[in-house]
Amino acid sequence: MQASARIWRHFDTWLLGAVGVLTIAGVALIRSAVAGNPELIELNVVGRQAVYGLVSLVVLFAVAAIDYRLWSALSRLLYGFMVLLLGLIPIAGVAGFGAARWFEIATLTVQPSELAKILTILVLADYLGRNRPETLGTLLKSFALVGLPAVLILGQPDLSTAVVLLVIWLAMVWAAGARLRYLVIILGLIALAALLVAPLLAQYFLEGYPQGEDFLFVRNYQMTRVINFLFPHPEESFGASYNVEQALISIGSGGLLGEGYGNGTQVQLRFLKVRHTDFLFSSMSQEFGFVGATVTVLLLMFVVFRCLRATRLARDRYGSLICYGVAILLLFQASFNVGMNLNLLPVSGLPLPFLSYGGSSLLTSLLGIGLVESVMLRHKRIEL
């Protein structure tokens, strides 16, 4: 009992504090973003996000209390559970926004692909912790571990999450010591496949990416997003690039200090769509300006920094890879979401960690932080 109490001295309160501030700020920003929208008010998205936040914080402490090395012993079981959940989506999943990605449990919706991000990190950390990716065979086996869930997620369809899994794989095998020449070979094969597809893609462009027709494994609406990012049509007032234009207007009109909480014109007058999810950063930038946006980004980078610090302090390779995987997950999603809001990257469904509305996303982020805290709690041997 005394030994158990001692490990909590190593709890990273700075990390918890930053995550807590971001989570609370997310609920407040969502409240402002949905103001005056009767559909979202009726769904009680603010109350639901607050409940998700409280439950996720409890999960964070529960996961931190569990020795992270236990997950290594359960690695195969976790992988089977992940594949089973993703495989059941086409059968029992709930469709929404052109994709079947959710399970409906009572009044809650659960998105298995979000949980798959953390489970992929745990499974990869276990495999790479026991097998250094110094041979091409080991590297390909690790890729296959990620490839199966990525293909299942791609079929939902959810291209952005599938890309996240591949980014996690690439970062973790690099951190685990993969030889550069093997990574170059794999990336070269991917580039070669892209070149082979290029003529078909050019034909698809020339035909005006016909509505309703998918391009290979990429859905039509996903191709439309990419094409409108590369070749925008600002003259179309309510075209596919409409919301990106509104996001830029929102960010630009925020100025240095913003228009004030609850006073963002593009937000309150509902010109900006999906402002409580994908484009919450634009909503926040209009209300709190450049200063508020900068503080938010710095807080997110501080969280990533504390995760990377845990990577360095971890007492074993497995714990170090877990922390590194969580850091990469948060960094990539935050960077992509902000880049999307600034029209530097194509529009995707990747949320802004801790801030965007979504129970599964928030739970996944705080679950990852719980794993990092578990590693930190045990980074030193207990002195009896």
Side-chain angles (χ1 to χ4, degrees):
M1 185 69 177
Q2 189 177 19
S4 178
R6 286 181 180 178
I7 67 171
W8 288 93
R9 293 181 302 175
H10 303 301
F11 191 85
D12 192 342
T13 53
W14 285 101
L15 176 59
L16 178 65
V19 167
V21 168
L22 287 168
T23 303
I24 294 170
V27 175
L29 290 170
I30 291 168
R31 179 180 178 274
S32 173
V34 303
N37 191 320
E39 296 87 357
L40 295 176
I41 292 175
E42 185 178 349
L43 291 173
N44 191 25
V45 296
V46 179
R48 289 163 68 94
Q49 187 73 356
V51 171
Y52 284 134
L54 290 173
V55 171
S56 299
L57 283 172
V58 172
V59 170
L60 186 157
F61 280 101
V63 171
I66 299 171
D67 192 329
Y68 67 93
R69 288 165 290 192
L70 173 65
W71 305 115
S72 177
L74 300 174
S75 179
R76 292 185 179 181
L77 184 62
L78 291 175
Y79 187 77
F81 177 69
M82 173 175 63
V83 171
L84 177 63
L85 280 182
L86 295 174
L88 287 174
I89 280 289
I91 302 172
V94 176
F97 303 102
R101 302 176 186 172
W102 300 270
F103 287 126
E104 196 169 72
I105 304 173
T107 59
L108 301 177
T109 54
V110 179
Q111 190 172 353
S113 58
E114 285 292 332
L115 182 60
K117 297 173 184 177
I118 293 296
L119 294 181
T120 296
I121 291 172
L122 289 173
V123 170
L124 264 182
D126 175 62
Y127 181 78
L128 296 174
R130 291 184 288 104
N131 306 275
R132 289 184 178 273
E134 295 176 346
T135 65
L136 186 58
T138 303
L139 197 61
L140 290 174
K141 287 179 182 177
S142 69
F143 182 77
L145 283 175
V146 177
L148 178 56
V151 169
L152 292 174
I153 290 172
L154 193 61
Q156 295 180 3
D158 189 352
L159 178 61
S160 56
T161 301
V163 170
V164 169
L165 295 191
L166 294 179
V167 168
I168 290 172
W169 170 79
L170 184 61
M172 290 184 68
V173 295
W174 173 261
R179 296 182 185 275
L180 181 60
R181 66 173 179 270
Y182 293 147
L183 290 178
V184 169
I185 290 172
I186 292 177
L187 294 177
L189 290 174
I190 294 174
L192 179 61
L195 288 175
L196 293 176
V197 170
L200 298 176
L201 185 61
Q203 183 180 359
Y204 191 80
F205 281 156
L206 292 173
E207 292 177 355
Y209 49 97
Q211 295 296 316
E213 291 188 20
D214 301 331
F215 177 75
L216 299 179
F217 54 84
V218 182
R219 298 298 174 91
N220 182 266
Y221 75 90
Q222 294 169 332
M223 286 300 302
T224 302
R225 288 177 177 178
V226 174
I227 292 169
N228 277 281
F229 169 72
L230 296 173
F231 310 105
H233 300 283
E235 67 277 2
E236 297 180 9
S237 301
F238 295 96
S241 60
Y242 168 79
N243 213 46
V244 175
E245 295 294 327
Q246 293 301 318
L248 292 176
I249 293 172
S250 300
I251 294 171
S253 61
L256 183 63
L257 299 176
E259 298 179 356
Y261 180 71
N263 294 319
T265 51
Q266 303 301 116
V267 177
Q268 301 305 318
L269 296 177
R270 287 186 268 177
F271 289 109
L272 181 66
K273 309 301 179 186
V274 288
R275 53 196 172 276
H276 63 300
T277 53
D278 297 352
F279 290 92
L280 187 70
F281 180 81
S282 298
S283 172
M284 179 267 298
S285 297
Q286 184 170 38
E287 294 183 347
F288 297 99
F290 176 77
V291 172
T294 302
V295 169
T296 301
V297 171
L298 288 176
L299 267 176
L300 286 166
M301 292 305 101
F302 179 75
V303 171
V304 173
F305 166 75
R306 298 303 287 192
C307 292
L308 291 175
R309 173 178 175 269
T311 298
R312 180 175 57 85
L313 295 176
R315 63 186 292 185
D316 57 26
R317 184 180 173 86
Y318 177 59
S320 180
L321 286 171
I322 288 176
C323 297
Y324 188 76
V326 172
I328 291 300
L329 170 63
L330 297 176
L331 176 63
F332 180 75
Q333 290 200 160
S335 302
F336 203 102
N337 183 275
V338 173
M340 173 187 76
N341 277 256
L342 294 171
N343 198 26
L344 299 175
L345 293 168
V347 174
S348 76
L350 291 180
L352 191 60
F354 311 109
L355 293 163
S356 293
Y357 175 75
S360 297
S361 171
L362 183 58
L363 177 62
T364 298
S365 298
L366 291 178
L367 181 59
I369 297 299
L371 288 169
V372 174
E373 292 285 11
S374 178
V375 173
M376 282 301 299
L377 288 178
R378 297 161 182 86
H379 80 278
K380 291 184 177 180
R381 294 187 182 277
I382 298 174
E383 299 175 0
L384 299 177

